[in-house]
Amino acid sequence: MDSSSTTPGGSGRRGATRQKLYEAAVTLIAEQGFSATTVDEIAERAGVAKGTVYYNFASKSVLFEELLRHGVGLLTASLREAAEKTAGEGGSRVDALDAMIRAGLVFIDRYPAFTQLYVAELWRTNRAWQSTLMVVRQQAVAVVEDVLREGVANGEFSEEIDVPLTAAALVGMVLVAALDRQSFQPGRSLDDVHAALSRLLQGRVSGRP
């Protein structure tokens, strides 16, 4: 998983190495599961020595925990950028939410393996990284919450909106719709899915007919 900015936890050559390890880990774990994936396999897929994995991460679990932080961090940044760009162009809060839906779909289309892992881990309760997962999940949802609260404050949205639940529902809607498209409706374009979700947003969140 690449990023246009500095990789969390490193820069330069070490940052590039971590990128390779993230890519290798997310692909292997998506293919065969966390338990079945070994550090040797991750190192081989990344094209590095096994010791390089342990130099960057104390264990396979730590690597996966950092992978979650890194991936959700990229998603959060893309959502925030979409909202800020819309605001800078004078768009409404509904426009900002719509842009965030688009950004989320684009992210999932670019990183399908990571998204599948992330969604799967949301439903597990026995992982060592559960607390980390909850923190990074809230970071992504909080970006949507901020836009909803701004909309309520300026009268664009109803004060009756449950902001935390609505934000979580919007994020979940994008995740499920995007993964459903990949698994069951591969013939549908990203634009088509975005248009359908946009209509839901316009009619339900904004209250427009």
Side-chain angles (χ1 to χ4, degrees), residues 126-146:
N126 60 342
R127 298 298 202 191
W129 50 77
Q130 188 67 22
S131 59
T132 295
L133 183 62
M134 293 300 99
V135 169
V136 296
R137 170 205 168 274
Q138 183 53 37
Q139 289 173 351
V141 173
V143 180
V144 183
E145 289 181 357
D146 289 343

Side-chain angles (χ1 to χ4, degrees), residues 156-179:
E156 191 172 348
F157 302 146
S158 169
E159 294 182 356
E160 296 179 357
I161 286 181
D162 185 321
V163 170
L165 185 58
T166 301
L170 287 171
V171 173
M173 176 182 72
V174 173
L175 288 171
V176 172
L179 292 178

Side-chain angles (χ1 to χ4, degrees), residues 79 82-87 89-103 143-158 161 166 170 173-174 194-195 197-209:
L79 296 178
E84 292 176 349
K85 180 179 179 181
T86 303
E89 295 173 348
S92 68
R93 297 306 181 275
V94 172
D95 293 331
L97 291 174
D98 188 57
M100 294 166 84
I101 286 175
R102 175 78 184 191
V143 180
V144 183
E145 289 181 357
D146 289 343
V147 174
L148 288 170
R149 289 194 179 93
E150 291 170 359
V152 171
N154 67 17
E156 191 172 348
F157 302 146
S158 169
I161 286 181
T166 301
L170 287 171
M173 176 182 72
V174 173
H194 176 219
L197 298 186
S198 181
R199 284 191 289 270
L200 284 174
L201 172 71
Q202 299 290 343
R204 299 302 181 185
V205 176
S206 71
R208 297 175 183 174

Side-chain angles (χ1 to χ4, degrees), residues 1-205:
M1 301 183 66
D2 61 344
S3 172
S4 58
S5 58
T6 301
T7 304
S11 59
R13 180 176 297 179
R14 188 179 185 191
T17 298
R18 287 195 166 208
Q19 294 283 9
K20 291 180 180 178
L21 293 172
Y22 288 141
E23 292 281 2
V26 74
T27 302
L28 286 166
I29 295 171
E31 290 174 354
Q32 57 195 32
F34 177 81
S35 297
T37 300
T38 67
V39 172
D40 286 329
E41 289 174 321
I42 294 173
E44 181 180 0
R45 181 68 65 93
V48 301
K50 182 177 179 179
T52 301
V53 180
Y54 288 114
Y55 174 75
N56 286 274
F57 306 99
S59 66
K60 184 177 69 171
S61 292
V62 171
L63 168 56
F64 189 71
E65 185 172 356
E66 290 303 313
L67 172 62
L68 290 172
R69 290 182 183 276
H70 178 68
V72 179
L74 292 179
L75 172 60
T76 301
S78 67
L79 296 178
R80 182 178 293 110
E81 181 181 357
E84 292 176 349
K85 180 179 179 181
T86 303
E89 295 173 348
S92 68
R93 297 306 181 275
V94 172
D95 293 331
L97 291 174
D98 188 57
M100 294 166 84
I101 286 175
R102 175 78 184 191
L105 291 173
V106 170
F107 175 89
I108 295 167
D109 189 62
R110 187 176 185 183
Y111 303 117
F114 171 78
T115 306
Q116 291 168 10
L117 284 177
Y118 172 69
V119 172
E121 290 302 316
L122 284 175
W123 304 108
R124 300 181 187 275
T125 59
N126 60 342
R127 298 298 202 191
W129 50 77
Q130 188 67 22
S131 59
T132 295
L133 183 62
M134 293 300 99
V135 169
V136 296
R137 170 205 168 274
Q138 183 53 37
Q139 289 173 351
V141 173
V143 180
V144 183
E145 289 181 357
D146 289 343
V147 174
L148 288 170
R149 289 194 179 93
E150 291 170 359
V152 171
N154 67 17
E156 191 172 348
F157 302 146
S158 169
E159 294 182 356
E160 296 179 357
I161 286 181
D162 185 321
V163 170
L165 185 58
T166 301
L170 287 171
V171 173
M173 176 182 72
V174 173
L175 288 171
V176 172
L179 292 178
D180 184 84
R181 171 210 171 207
Q182 291 173 357
S183 298
F184 305 110
Q185 304 181 68
R188 298 192 70 170
S189 69
L190 188 149
D191 289 338
D192 190 26
V193 176
H194 176 219
L197 298 186
S198 181
R199 284 191 289 270
L200 284 174
L201 172 71
Q202 299 290 343
R204 299 302 181 185
V205 176

